[in-house]
């Protein structure tokens, strides 16, 4: 269950990526401060289409579902998003949780990072002024830990999702083996 993620190392990395696409990144709410980790209900910065450029501004993570429960992850399988408001969530890594290890009450926490880049984009969709992160079936790096995977794009692929310059099935897919590194962050290893 992807209910936590780590922001990228700096806002400059995001700005540089957007500039390499020939676009300008605007900060309508100013440059945000980023805590070490984001959880459901927080307002991390997300990237949206803004006219001819892109904007990065805080947005609440999770909208209220029909029963009042927060929708923070949203299955992409079998859906089309051409008429949806799409967003990108920059992250250095995301977490998955497995059963608690013997002698521990809290679940075991695993961090996933993109192997060939210091950060990634997570595909998202906006509703009710909030966003949810899209998921798909797990790739081989995530499958031992969870039955779903965040839809991850590498730096440089922002427009593939925001403008759908690639087919949705090519963008919202599991990553191939070896794309993500994984390390246990709780409980810490001795």
């Amino acid at each position: 269950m992807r209910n936590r993620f780590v922001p990228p190392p700096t806002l400059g990395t995001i700005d540089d990526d957007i500039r390499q696409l020939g676009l300008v990144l605007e900060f309508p709410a100013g440059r945000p401060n980023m805590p070490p980790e984001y959880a459901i209900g927080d307002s991390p910065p997300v990237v949206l289409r803004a006219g001819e450029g892109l904007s990065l501004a805080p947005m609440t993570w999770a909208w209220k579902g029909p029963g009042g429960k927060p929708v923070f992850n949203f299955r992409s399988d079998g859906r089309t998003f051409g008429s949806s408001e799409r967003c990108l969530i920059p992250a250095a890594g995301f977490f998955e949780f497995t059963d608690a290890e013997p002698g521990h009450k809290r679940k075991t926490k695993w961090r996933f990072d993109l192997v060939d880049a210091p950060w990634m984009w997570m595909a998202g969709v906006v509703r009710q002024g909030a966003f949810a992160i899209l998921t798909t079936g797990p790739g081989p790096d995530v499958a031992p830990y969870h039955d779903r995977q965040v839809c991850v794009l590498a730096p440089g692929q922002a427009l593939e999702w925001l403008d759908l310059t690639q087919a949705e099935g090519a963008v919202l897919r599991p990553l191939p083996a070896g794309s993500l590194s994984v390390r246990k962050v709780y409980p810490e290893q001795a």
Side-chain angles (χ1 to χ4, degrees):
M1 178 182 296
R2 293 129 246 57
N3 60 12
R4 294 190 175 276
F5 68 90
V6 176
T10 67
L11 287 175
T13 57
I14 300 165
D15 202 13
D16 290 345
D17 189 55
I18 300 303
R19 247 188 266 119
Q20 289 178 7
L21 297 172
L23 298 170
V24 174
L25 182 63
E26 298 174 4
F27 298 87
R31 290 181 167 271
N33 292 322
M34 294 189 286
E37 197 172 293
Y38 287 107
I40 297 165
D42 289 345
S43 294
V46 300
V47 173
L48 299 162
R49 222 4 157 156
E52 296 298 315
L54 302 175
S55 70
L56 183 134
M59 184 178 285
T60 303
W61 181 12
W63 63 74
K64 287 193 191 307
K69 290 185 178 182
V71 176
F72 55 95
N73 292 324
F74 196 75
R75 288 178 176 259
S76 65
D77 317 57
R79 293 188 162 114
T80 59
F81 296 95
S83 61
S84 298
E85 185 176 7
R86 295 173 300 281
C87 68
L88 288 166
I89 304 96
F94 63 90
F95 298 103
E96 295 292 355
F97 296 84
T98 56
D99 291 338
E101 291 184 359
H104 293 273
K105 293 181 180 181
R106 291 181 16 215
K107 289 186 174 193
T108 304
K109 185 177 183 179
W110 304 91
R111 179 173 168 165
F112 292 82
D113 297 292
L114 203 54
V115 169
D116 294 328
W119 66 284
M120 65 186 83
W121 293 113
M122 297 185 294
V125 65
V126 177
R127 292 189 181 167
Q128 304 172 16
F131 76 91
I133 298 172
L134 294 177
T135 66
T136 188
D141 299 332
V142 176
Y145 305 91
H146 204 280
D147 62 353
R148 302 292 298 163
Q149 177 183 309
V150 171
C151 294
V152 172
L153 291 90
Q157 295 182 302
L159 297 182
E160 291 180 19
W161 175 240
L162 290 179
D163 292 351
L164 292 179
T165 61
Q166 298 286 323
E168 288 172 85
V171 177
L172 306 175
R173 76 225 174 309
L175 295 176
S179 298
L180 295 168
S181 64
V182 60
R183 65 184 164 93
K184 183 168 61 169
V185 294
Y186 179 83
E188 292 182 26
Q189 297 190 23

